[in-house]
């Protein structure tokens, strides 16, 4: 990654991981964490595959429209099988060319996506390990995302990630 991404001084650089349900659960969650603000987006996917991750990113790009591109300058992922479609994750579905730049962590280096690992722990506070995601509705997932983004953080002077994220979006406008 570019050193500017590691510095956490610029907006629009994300970390991404997946959270699995219990054995026998087909659904999974794709969890995105913005590095500067620690804001999160949780995307439910029907299964733990690369095709589902690409479809989830396509849906997010369609939902955000032209705002997607400045918001998602880069995404850092681990080496999981669900992130192996590098071209699919980078290729824009609304325009020609790339939608973002994808970086891979070094093997066995979860600290390179530390904010996302912390975000996954917050998800697990509301959806404990061993729970079947097949029983979770879109509203349930949205409530978890809202709770995370409305969680006051000491590191931000007790502001929330959601507040900081909105401030950064206003700067982009």
């Amino acid at each position: 990654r570019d050193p500017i991404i590691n510095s956490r001084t610029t907006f629009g650089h994300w970390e991404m991981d997946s959270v699995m349900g219990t054995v026998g659960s087909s659904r999974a969650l794709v969890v995105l964490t913005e590095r500067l603000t620690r804001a999160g987006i949780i995307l439910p996917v029907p299964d733990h595959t690369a095709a589902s991750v690409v479809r989830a990113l396509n849906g997010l790009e369609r939902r955000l429209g032209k705002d997607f591109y400045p918001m998602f300058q880069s995404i850092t992922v681990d080496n999981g099988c669900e992130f192996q479609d590098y071209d699919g994750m980078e290729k824009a579905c609304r325009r020609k060319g790339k939608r973002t730049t994808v970086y891979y962590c070094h093997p066995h280096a979860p600290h390179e996506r530390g904010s996302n690992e912390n975000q996954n722990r917050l998800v697990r506070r509301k959806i404990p390990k061993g729970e079947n995601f097949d029983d979770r509705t879109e509203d349930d997932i949205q409530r978890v995302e809202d709770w995370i983004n409305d969680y006051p953080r000491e590191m931000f002077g007790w502001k929330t990630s959601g507040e900081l994220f909105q401030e950064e979006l206003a700067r982009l406008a």
Side-chain angles (χ1 to χ4, degrees), residues 103-169:
Y103 295 99
Y104 287 91
C105 292
H106 292 94
H108 313 292
H111 61 277
E112 293 179 3
R113 290 179 311 90
S115 296
N116 195 239
E117 291 295 331
N118 184 55
Q119 199 88 303
N120 291 348
R121 280 191 292 279
L122 291 174
V123 168
R124 288 299 189 188
R125 285 189 188 179
K126 297 295 181 183
I127 306 174
K129 203 166 195 145
E131 189 166 313
N132 189 332
F133 292 160
D134 296 348
D135 301 332
R136 288 292 183 151
T137 66
E138 299 280 332
D139 287 342
D140 291 336
I141 305 297
Q142 187 62 53
R143 276 192 292 279
V144 173
E145 181 182 309
D146 292 343
W147 177 77
I148 289 171
N149 290 328
D150 292 340
Y151 192 87
R153 299 181 190 225
E154 184 176 10
M155 67 188 299
F156 298 137
W158 301 109
K159 282 187 164 186
T160 69
S161 293
E163 290 170 330
L164 295 174
F165 190 78
Q166 290 305 315
E167 289 172 14
E168 292 298 327
L169 287 180

Side-chain angles (χ1 to χ4, degrees), residues 21-67:
T22 187
V23 173
S25 171
S26 59
R27 290 180 75 198
L29 303 175
V30 173
V31 180
L32 290 135
T33 309
E34 202 281 322
R35 287 181 55 83
L36 177 65
T37 64
R38 297 350 184 251
I41 297 173
I42 304 172
L43 305 171
V45 292
D47 54 34
H48 190 243
T49 63
S52 289
V53 170
V54 170
R55 277 194 300 276
L57 287 175
N58 288 347
L60 185 60
E61 181 184 357
R62 285 185 189 101
R63 186 173 84 202
L64 295 174
K66 65 178 175 40
D67 295 335

